[in-house]
Amino acid sequence: MKGITETQYNHLCKVCDSILKKEPVSFTRNANSLLNVIREHPIFLNIYKPIFYKNSFKFYFFILISFLKIIIVGILKFLDAIYRIYFLRDVLKRDQNNYSEIFITHFLNEEFIQHKNDFYFYKLPKKISRSKESSLNLYINFTNLSSNSVTNKWNKNVCSKLLPRYLPIFLELKIRIQLIKEAIKILKIRSKNNFEKRIKYYASIASLFSSTFNNYRLAIMVSNFIRKNNVEFIFTTYEGHAWERLIFGFARRINSKVKCIGYQHSIIFRKQHSIRRKLEKSFEPDYILCSGEHGFKQFKKINYLPDKRLILFGSKRGGNSVLKNLAVNSKHRKTFLLLPEGDLVECIPMVEFFISLAIKYQNYKFIIRFHPITRINKVLKKCPKLNREIPNLEISKFSLEDDFKRSQFAIYRGSTTIIKAVLYGLIPIYFSRSEEISIDPLFEFENKKINLSKPEDIEILEKISHNELISNQIKLIEHVKQFFSPINYDQVLKL
């Protein structure tokens, strides 16, 4: 089926929010991954496509198959929990230390073991720590590594622990019972029309999704540390995920005085939803750390929190200055750099489009720079033309900065790497696909940049004057500098 339209997306957000608000203080309801609509990106929207099937039989058949898959996956996950707990000893271990601040962050791959500072909060845990082990970094495990094997390798000033994949078996069973009860509650909600009925049935099924279990499980793990320590501050990354709000809710149930702080570390997209909409007070942050002036202004504009509770913290990606020699000044503007996202759903269509450009326009050079998490072997299987020798097409093995320096154009979609590319003077070209919501990070500068939807559109570059390109690029650089400000630790230390 075609992509979800903006009108459909708006309606979807409204109905999902209404179901959440029917049980505003429910932890199991707020854990539901389907009801927390994050943003308009196809990676996040793919899960909602069945709701818009024109054929009712097709939708209800999908619900039936999903229910059967949940049973099978649930059994496999439970067996995996037994294996990891009793054979790998991947369990949550307590210690005798007392932590006053807890940071919830992410462990994306094994290289994170070697990082001197946290990838997201950078030096903040060290700066805020009043003694060697008064701050604790809890890492969400996105790998198959055992939590104990990683935790034992860490040697940091701030204590760091990799969270296990599962809770003790009796708690795993308890969560399942609670979420089954929640699924039944959702089924009992009255629906005004067929669209609401579909979302109700799907949300009931989603109560048993692995992602919903993960949200609830993570909040319980963090609450165990809060309960055993005199925790004053909880820091999480803040993108609109359900687990962020659940952690705040669990923390306040244990200690009403704990301060909950969310770090908006990335950019805010045009139709990003859950990060903007308010829930019941116990699930809301006390403070929001903003990565740049752009995010700060966005939250201020919607009156999300009082101004004094919005803190311009900045980002390690901030502090870039405009380069004197912009790529747009190059005499030979012949090189295009592709910046796909890591997910194959987004990456493969972009690569296919890029290959067609390289074959059609052999007087240009095309460089593909894959995201670090992309499984390139799978891309090669889906795009067999990449295995052929195309003289003007290259898969980059250089550093990101080197790729910027040897390119003049950057083709992108939802990747925020385009911001750094623009600061290096590259001309941004957005690859748009028909009948979809734009996911362009530079949406506010629509009339000053170039969009492509088919290979022939690249010929528009020959019609744009050099002076116009220079003028647009300088304005665009000033615009993107607002996304990420230099880090200012003092703003947080004042708390």
Side-chain angles (χ1 to χ4, degrees):
M1 65 169 287
K2 296 178 181 178
I4 295 173
T5 66
E6 191 162 330
T7 301
Q8 290 173 328
Y9 176 78
N10 293 338
H11 194 192
L12 172 71
C13 293
K14 183 178 180 180
V15 176
C16 287
D17 286 353
S18 70
I19 295 176
L20 277 175
K21 290 175 182 178
K22 283 180 169 61
E23 293 281 348
V25 296
S26 168
F27 288 92
T28 50
R29 181 68 55 88
N30 281 280
N32 193 301
S33 58
L34 188 86
L35 296 178
N36 287 272
V37 185
I38 295 175
R39 63 183 177 95
E40 70 275 32
H41 197 292
I43 292 173
F44 294 103
L45 288 187
N46 273 336
I47 191 175
Y48 298 100
K49 283 186 176 180
I51 295 171
F52 299 95
Y53 286 156
K54 292 182 179 179
N55 190 312
S56 294
F57 175 79
K58 186 178 180 181
F59 169 76
Y60 288 107
F61 182 73
F62 166 80
I63 291 295
L64 175 62
I65 295 300
S66 297
F67 180 69
L68 296 176
K69 284 182 179 178
I70 283 170
I71 295 174
I72 296 171
V73 170
I75 293 171
L76 293 176
K77 289 281 186 181
F78 191 73
L79 293 175
D80 185 46
I82 293 173
Y83 170 72
R84 293 188 71 90
I85 291 170
Y86 294 105
F87 291 89
L88 296 183
R89 304 303 301 168
D90 187 15
V91 294
L92 193 65
K93 287 190 175 181
R94 300 185 180 90
D95 55 41
Q96 301 302 315
N97 297 318
N98 187 44
Y99 306 105
S100 56
E101 302 94 20
I102 293 180
F103 290 80
I104 315 301
T105 182
H106 308 265
F107 186 84
L108 302 181
N109 56 58
E110 195 167 351
E111 293 178 3
F112 275 48
I113 298 175
Q114 309 302 327
H115 288 184
K116 293 182 179 179
N117 297 299
D118 180 63
F119 184 78
Y120 294 90
F121 291 98
Y122 206 48
K123 295 180 181 180
L124 182 59
K126 292 180 181 179
K127 295 275 186 181
I128 206 171
S129 180
R130 291 186 296 276
S131 63
K132 187 178 180 182
E133 293 178 330
S134 67
S135 289
L136 171 66
N137 288 351
L138 293 180
Y139 285 85
I140 304 170
N141 192 358
F142 289 92
T143 71
N144 286 319
L145 297 173
S146 169
S147 59
N148 288 329
S149 66
V150 173
T151 298
N152 292 335
K153 292 178 182 178
W154 265 320
N155 182 19
K156 297 185 177 183
N157 292 332
V158 175
C159 187
S160 299
K161 295 180 183 294
L162 182 64
L163 292 170
R165 297 291 289 274
Y166 300 100
L167 287 162
I169 291 299
F170 77 94
L171 283 177
E172 288 289 326
L173 288 171
K174 184 178 179 180
I175 291 174
R176 281 160 172 75
I177 292 170
Q178 288 175 323
L179 292 177
I180 288 171
K181 289 180 179 178
E182 175 59 33
I184 295 170
K185 278 185 179 181
I186 292 177
L187 283 176
K188 292 179 180 179
I189 295 174
R190 290 185 179 181
S191 306
K192 296 178 183 178
N193 51 53
N194 186 53
F195 184 73
E196 291 186 6
K197 187 182 293 185
R198 286 189 177 195
I199 293 180
K200 177 184 74 173
Y201 286 134
Y202 200 3
S204 177
I205 291 290
S207 290
L208 308 177
F209 280 178
S210 295
S211 53
T212 301
F213 277 102
N214 290 340
N215 293 332
Y216 203 80
R217 182 187 294 116
L218 176 58
I220 291 177
M221 284 184 184
V222 175
S223 69
N224 285 335
F225 283 93
I226 298 170
R227 187 175 289 108
K228 297 293 181 179
N229 295 276
N230 187 27
V231 175
E232 298 176 27
F233 294 91
I234 296 285
F235 291 82
T236 74
T237 50
Y238 195 62
E239 297 178 272
H241 295 289
W243 60 264
E244 298 161 351
R245 309 294 189 89
L246 280 182
I247 287 175
F248 296 159
F250 270 96
R252 289 194 177 99
R253 188 169 70 172
I254 296 167
N255 177 8
S256 61
K257 295 182 179 179
V258 68
K259 298 299 181 185
C260 300
I261 303 168
Y263 176 30
Q264 174 259 314
H265 64 90
S266 187
I267 69 173
I268 299 178
F269 288 79
R270 184 175 68 91
K271 298 294 292 184
Q272 197 158 347
H273 178 66
S274 56
I275 199 173
R276 286 186 172 100
R277 60 101 166 86
K278 291 188 177 182
L279 298 177
E280 198 273 333
K281 188 176 180 180
S282 62
F283 296 106
E284 289 294 299
D286 291 297
Y287 297 88
I288 295 177
L289 309 184
C290 301
S291 57
E293 292 180 17
H294 182 267
F296 184 83
K297 289 176 181 176
Q298 288 282 317
F299 282 116
K300 195 172 180 180
K301 183 179 178 181
I302 62 175
N303 195 28
Y304 194 95
L305 287 176
D307 290 357
K308 63 182 180 180
R309 294 183 179 271
L310 297 175
I311 299 173
L312 186 54
F313 173 60
S315 167
K316 65 178 182 179
R317 289 185 277 183
N320 295 297
S321 59
V322 179
L323 301 184
K324 292 181 180 179
N325 298 317
L326 300 180
V328 74
N329 273 321
S330 174
K331 292 181 180 179
H332 305 286
R333 291 198 290 271
K334 295 288 185 180
T335 305
F336 292 79
L337 178 64
L338 185 71
L339 298 174
E341 294 175 85
D343 194 282
L344 296 182
V345 172
E346 275 294 295
C347 181
I348 289 172
M350 289 191 73
V351 170
E352 289 175 341
F353 177 75
F354 212 56
I355 292 171
S356 64
L357 281 173
I359 293 173
K360 188 174 180 67
Y361 298 97
Q362 297 186 10
N363 57 321
Y364 291 118
K365 180 175 178 61
F366 298 89
I367 302 169
I368 300 176
R369 179 172 188 84
F370 286 111
H371 191 282
I373 68 168
T374 301
R375 297 181 180 180
I376 299 177
N377 59 329
K378 290 194 174 183
V379 178
L380 293 173
K381 287 182 180 178
K382 293 286 185 179
C383 305
K385 289 182 180 178
L386 269 183
N387 295 309
R388 288 165 37 191
E389 186 175 341
I390 303 175
N392 59 331
L393 180 64
E394 170 192 339
I395 296 176
S396 176
K397 295 181 181 178
F398 291 85
S399 70
L400 180 61
E401 286 73 17
D402 286 341
D403 281 340
F404 287 155
K405 290 175 182 178
R406 63 194 183 117
S407 306
Q408 291 81 45
F409 302 94
I411 297 180
Y412 70 103
R413 273 176 57 76
S415 173
T416 56
T417 307
I418 190 59
I419 294 169
K420 193 168 185 178
V422 168
L423 290 168
Y424 269 78
L426 275 69
I427 301 168
I429 301 176
Y430 178 71
F431 173 41
S432 62
R433 295 162 70 180
S434 60
E435 299 184 9
E436 70 161 13
I437 306 172
S438 172
I439 57 171
D440 187 356
L442 306 178
F443 65 89
E444 292 171 312
F445 220 78
E446 186 63 34
N447 62 335
K448 295 295 183 183
K449 58 184 183 55
I450 302 160
N451 292 345
L452 298 183
S453 58
K454 55 185 185 296
E456 295 78 18
D457 292 340
I458 203 171
E459 296 171 13
I460 194 174
L461 294 173
E462 299 175 3
K463 302 176 183 179
I464 304 174
S465 70
H466 175 76
N467 289 337
E468 185 179 354
L469 283 175
I470 290 287
S471 175
N472 288 345
Q473 193 68 10
I474 291 173
K475 292 175 183 176
L476 191 54
I477 287 172
E478 289 303 313
H479 172 72
V480 301
K481 284 170 66 178
Q482 296 183 29
F483 284 118
F484 301 115
S485 302
I487 290 181
N488 187 343
Y489 294 108
D490 291 339
Q491 289 294 322
V492 183
L493 296 177
K494 289 177 183 178
L495 296 178

